[in-house]
């Protein structure tokens, strides 16, 4: 039995220790905001935060992250009012939407490390793929979120 802590809640999991975290999050715990894209740590659709850093949850096992603080998209806010979520809505970033929870998690982490990111910082820091090509709107939303975060700090 392994314990993992997600969005402040501890879950005791009776599954194989080498189960990828993404499977535990979606299938065992039932938090489906984190998406399965490639399964090989390439696309970023499965991005969660572990100690504030973006981690591709398809590429780590539950044994490796047991006891660490994990945040999924559901942990940002109850009502989509996290400043990054608000900026995403205001800038109408998503097209199909599939990659977007991973993009938002990556953006939250980027803004924690770089509260005033330049376009270059965003291009270097945001490595998640979007097949719909929403990159210009993602960049715009990150600048908006940076302003919103300053207003509330
Ligand atoms: S599903 Fe994890 S990186 Fe693509
Ligand atoms: S919005 Fe469709 S893949 Fe990114």
């Amino acid at each position: 039995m392994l314990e993992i802590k997600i969005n402040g809640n501890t879950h005791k999991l009776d599954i194989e220790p080498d189960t990828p975290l993404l499977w535990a999050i979606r299938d065992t715990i039932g938090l489906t905001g984190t998406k399965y894209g490639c399964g090989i740590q390439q696309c970023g659709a499965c991005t969660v935060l572990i100690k504030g850093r973006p981690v591709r949850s398809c590429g780590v096992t539950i044994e490796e992250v047991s006891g660490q603080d994990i945040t999924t998209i559901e942990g940002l806010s109850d009502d989509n009012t996290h400043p990054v979520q608000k900026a995403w809505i205001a800038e109408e970033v998503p097209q199909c939407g599939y990659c977007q929870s991973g993009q938002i998690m990556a953006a939250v982490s980027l803004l924690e490390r770089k509260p005033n990111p330049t376009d270059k910082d965003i291009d270097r820091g945001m490595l998640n793929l979007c097949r719909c090509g929403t990159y210009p709107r993602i960049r715009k939303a990150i600048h908006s979120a940076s302003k919103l975060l300053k207003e509330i700090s």
Side-chain angles (χ1 to χ4, degrees), residues 53-80:
R53 305 289 302 187
V55 171
R56 296 185 171 185
S57 61
C58 67
V60 291
T61 66
I62 56 166
E63 189 171 37
E64 287 168 323
V65 299
S66 178
Q68 299 183 39
D69 278 323
I70 299 163
T71 307
T72 68
I73 187 85
E74 291 89 349
L76 293 186
S77 70
D78 290 333
D79 50 3
N80 299 332

Short mmCIF file of all heavy atoms in Angstrom, two decimals, residues 53-80:
data_model
loop_
_atom_site.label_atom_id
_atom_site.label_comp_id
_atom_site.label_asym_id
_atom_site.label_seq_id
_atom_site.Cartn_x
_atom_site.Cartn_y
_atom_site.Cartn_z
N ARG A 53 7.23 22.13 -9.29
CA ARG A 53 7.90 21.94 -10.58
C ARG A 53 7.02 21.12 -11.53
O ARG A 53 6.33 20.19 -11.08
CB ARG A 53 9.22 21.18 -10.41
CG ARG A 53 10.16 21.80 -9.42
CD ARG A 53 10.77 23.08 -9.90
NE ARG A 53 11.52 22.95 -11.14
CZ ARG A 53 12.25 23.93 -11.69
NH1 ARG A 53 12.31 25.11 -11.09
NH2 ARG A 53 12.91 23.75 -12.81
N PRO A 54 7.03 21.43 -12.82
CA PRO A 54 6.19 20.64 -13.73
C PRO A 54 6.79 19.26 -13.97
O PRO A 54 7.98 19.13 -14.25
CB PRO A 54 6.22 21.47 -15.03
CG PRO A 54 7.46 22.28 -14.95
CD PRO A 54 7.78 22.49 -13.49
N VAL A 55 5.96 18.25 -13.83
CA VAL A 55 6.41 16.86 -14.01
C VAL A 55 5.42 16.17 -14.94
O VAL A 55 4.21 16.33 -14.80
CB VAL A 55 6.46 16.12 -12.65
CG1 VAL A 55 6.72 14.63 -12.83
CG2 VAL A 55 7.53 16.73 -11.76
N ARG A 56 5.94 15.40 -15.88
CA ARG A 56 5.08 14.64 -16.81
C ARG A 56 4.69 13.34 -16.10
O ARG A 56 5.52 12.44 -15.92
CB ARG A 56 5.82 14.43 -18.13
CG ARG A 56 6.04 15.80 -18.76
CD ARG A 56 6.61 15.86 -20.10
NE ARG A 56 6.52 17.26 -20.54
CZ ARG A 56 6.85 17.71 -21.72
NH1 ARG A 56 7.30 16.88 -22.63
NH2 ARG A 56 6.72 18.99 -22.03
N SER A 57 3.44 13.29 -15.70
CA SER A 57 3.02 12.23 -14.78
C SER A 57 2.96 10.85 -15.44
O SER A 57 2.85 9.84 -14.74
CB SER A 57 1.67 12.57 -14.15
OG SER A 57 0.66 12.70 -15.12
N CYS A 58 3.06 10.79 -16.78
CA CYS A 58 3.13 9.47 -17.41
C CYS A 58 4.50 8.84 -17.22
O CYS A 58 4.67 7.64 -17.43
CB CYS A 58 2.81 9.56 -18.91
SG CYS A 58 4.05 10.47 -19.88
N GLY A 59 5.48 9.66 -16.82
CA GLY A 59 6.86 9.17 -16.78
C GLY A 59 7.41 8.91 -15.39
O GLY A 59 8.60 8.63 -15.26
N VAL A 60 6.58 9.04 -14.36
CA VAL A 60 7.04 8.72 -13.00
C VAL A 60 6.09 7.70 -12.39
O VAL A 60 4.90 7.67 -12.72
CB VAL A 60 7.13 9.96 -12.08
CG1 VAL A 60 8.23 10.89 -12.51
CG2 VAL A 60 5.79 10.70 -12.02
N THR A 61 6.63 6.86 -11.51
CA THR A 61 5.79 5.85 -10.87
C THR A 61 5.26 6.38 -9.54
O THR A 61 5.83 7.31 -8.96
CB THR A 61 6.59 4.57 -10.60
OG1 THR A 61 7.60 4.86 -9.62
CG2 THR A 61 7.25 4.06 -11.87
N ILE A 62 4.21 5.75 -9.05
CA ILE A 62 3.67 6.22 -7.77
C ILE A 62 4.68 5.99 -6.64
O ILE A 62 4.74 6.77 -5.70
CB ILE A 62 2.30 5.58 -7.43
CG1 ILE A 62 2.36 4.07 -7.44
CG2 ILE A 62 1.22 6.10 -8.33
CD1 ILE A 62 1.14 3.44 -6.79
N GLU A 63 5.51 4.97 -6.78
CA GLU A 63 6.54 4.74 -5.77
C GLU A 63 7.52 5.91 -5.71
O GLU A 63 7.92 6.35 -4.63
CB GLU A 63 7.30 3.46 -6.11
CG GLU A 63 8.25 3.00 -5.04
CD GLU A 63 8.79 1.62 -5.36
OE1 GLU A 63 9.02 1.32 -6.55
OE2 GLU A 63 8.96 0.84 -4.41
N GLU A 64 7.85 6.45 -6.87
CA GLU A 64 8.82 7.56 -6.92
C GLU A 64 8.27 8.84 -6.31
O GLU A 64 9.04 9.67 -5.85
CB GLU A 64 9.23 7.83 -8.38
CG GLU A 64 10.15 6.77 -8.96
CD GLU A 64 10.32 6.91 -10.47
OE1 GLU A 64 9.35 7.26 -11.17
OE2 GLU A 64 11.43 6.63 -10.93
N VAL A 65 6.96 9.02 -6.33
CA VAL A 65 6.40 10.29 -5.86
C VAL A 65 5.63 10.14 -4.55
O VAL A 65 5.03 11.10 -4.07
CB VAL A 65 5.49 10.93 -6.93
CG1 VAL A 65 6.28 11.22 -8.19
CG2 VAL A 65 4.28 10.06 -7.22
N SER A 66 5.71 8.96 -3.95
CA SER A 66 5.00 8.72 -2.70
C SER A 66 5.47 9.71 -1.64
O SER A 66 6.67 9.92 -1.47
CB SER A 66 5.27 7.28 -2.25
OG SER A 66 4.63 7.05 -1.03
N GLY A 67 4.52 10.34 -0.97
CA GLY A 67 4.86 11.27 0.11
C GLY A 67 5.13 12.69 -0.34
O GLY A 67 5.27 13.60 0.48
N GLN A 68 5.20 12.93 -1.66
CA GLN A 68 5.47 14.29 -2.14
C GLN A 68 4.16 15.03 -2.42
O GLN A 68 3.15 14.41 -2.71
CB GLN A 68 6.32 14.24 -3.41
CG GLN A 68 7.67 13.56 -3.16
CD GLN A 68 8.52 13.57 -4.41
OE1 GLN A 68 8.54 14.53 -5.15
NE2 GLN A 68 9.23 12.49 -4.64
N ASP A 69 4.23 16.36 -2.34
CA ASP A 69 3.03 17.17 -2.61
C ASP A 69 2.81 17.29 -4.11
O ASP A 69 3.63 17.86 -4.82
CB ASP A 69 3.21 18.58 -2.03
CG ASP A 69 2.89 18.59 -0.55
OD1 ASP A 69 1.95 17.87 -0.14
OD2 ASP A 69 3.58 19.30 0.18
N ILE A 70 1.69 16.74 -4.57
CA ILE A 70 1.38 16.75 -6.01
C ILE A 70 0.15 17.65 -6.22
O ILE A 70 -0.82 17.56 -5.45
CB ILE A 70 1.05 15.32 -6.49
CG1 ILE A 70 2.26 14.41 -6.26
CG2 ILE A 70 0.63 15.31 -7.96
CD1 ILE A 70 1.94 12.93 -6.29
N THR A 71 0.22 18.50 -7.23
CA THR A 71 -0.94 19.34 -7.56
C THR A 71 -1.38 19.03 -8.98
O THR A 71 -0.56 19.05 -9.90
CB THR A 71 -0.60 20.84 -7.44
OG1 THR A 71 -0.03 21.08 -6.16
CG2 THR A 71 -1.85 21.70 -7.62
N THR A 72 -2.67 18.77 -9.15
CA THR A 72 -3.24 18.61 -10.49
C THR A 72 -4.06 19.86 -10.81
O THR A 72 -4.25 20.73 -9.95
CB THR A 72 -4.17 17.38 -10.56
OG1 THR A 72 -5.34 17.64 -9.76
CG2 THR A 72 -3.48 16.11 -10.07
N ILE A 73 -4.56 19.93 -12.02
CA ILE A 73 -5.37 21.10 -12.44
C ILE A 73 -6.54 21.33 -11.46
O ILE A 73 -6.89 22.47 -11.17
CB ILE A 73 -5.89 20.92 -13.90
CG1 ILE A 73 -6.58 22.17 -14.42
CG2 ILE A 73 -6.79 19.69 -14.04
CD1 ILE A 73 -5.70 23.19 -15.00
N GLU A 74 -7.09 20.26 -10.91
CA GLU A 74 -8.23 20.40 -9.98
C GLU A 74 -7.80 21.10 -8.69
O GLU A 74 -8.64 21.65 -7.97
CB GLU A 74 -8.82 19.03 -9.63
CG GLU A 74 -9.54 18.33 -10.78
CD GLU A 74 -8.61 17.44 -11.62
OE1 GLU A 74 -7.37 17.54 -11.45
OE2 GLU A 74 -9.15 16.66 -12.44
N GLY A 75 -6.50 21.06 -8.39
CA GLY A 75 -6.01 21.66 -7.15
C GLY A 75 -5.73 23.15 -7.25
O GLY A 75 -5.41 23.79 -6.25
N LEU A 76 -5.83 23.72 -8.46
CA LEU A 76 -5.54 25.16 -8.59
C LEU A 76 -6.63 26.01 -7.97
O LEU A 76 -6.36 27.04 -7.35
CB LEU A 76 -5.36 25.55 -10.06
CG LEU A 76 -4.15 25.00 -10.80
CD1 LEU A 76 -4.06 25.62 -12.19
CD2 LEU A 76 -2.86 25.24 -10.02
N SER A 77 -7.88 25.63 -8.18
CA SER A 77 -9.02 26.36 -7.61
C SER A 77 -10.25 25.48 -7.74
O SER A 77 -10.27 24.54 -8.53
CB SER A 77 -9.26 27.68 -8.37
OG SER A 77 -9.76 27.40 -9.66
N ASP A 78 -11.29 25.83 -6.96
CA ASP A 78 -12.54 25.06 -7.05
C ASP A 78 -13.40 25.55 -8.20
O ASP A 78 -14.31 24.85 -8.65
CB ASP A 78 -13.36 25.23 -5.75
CG ASP A 78 -12.69 24.51 -4.60
OD1 ASP A 78 -11.97 23.53 -4.86
OD2 ASP A 78 -12.88 24.95 -3.45
N ASP A 79 -13.14 26.80 -8.64
CA ASP A 79 -14.08 27.44 -9.56
C ASP A 79 -13.37 28.18 -10.71
O ASP A 79 -13.86 29.22 -11.16
CB ASP A 79 -14.96 28.41 -8.78
CG ASP A 79 -14.11 29.33 -7.90
OD1 ASP A 79 -12.87 29.23 -7.96
OD2 ASP A 79 -14.69 30.15 -7.17
N ASN A 80 -12.23 27.68 -11.13
CA ASN A 80 -11.48 28.28 -12.25
C ASN A 80 -11.07 29.72 -12.00
O ASN A 80 -11.02 30.53 -12.95
CB ASN A 80 -12.29 28.20 -13.56
CG ASN A 80 -12.58 26.79 -13.96
OD1 ASN A 80 -11.82 25.87 -13.64
ND2 ASN A 80 -13.69 26.58 -14.66
#
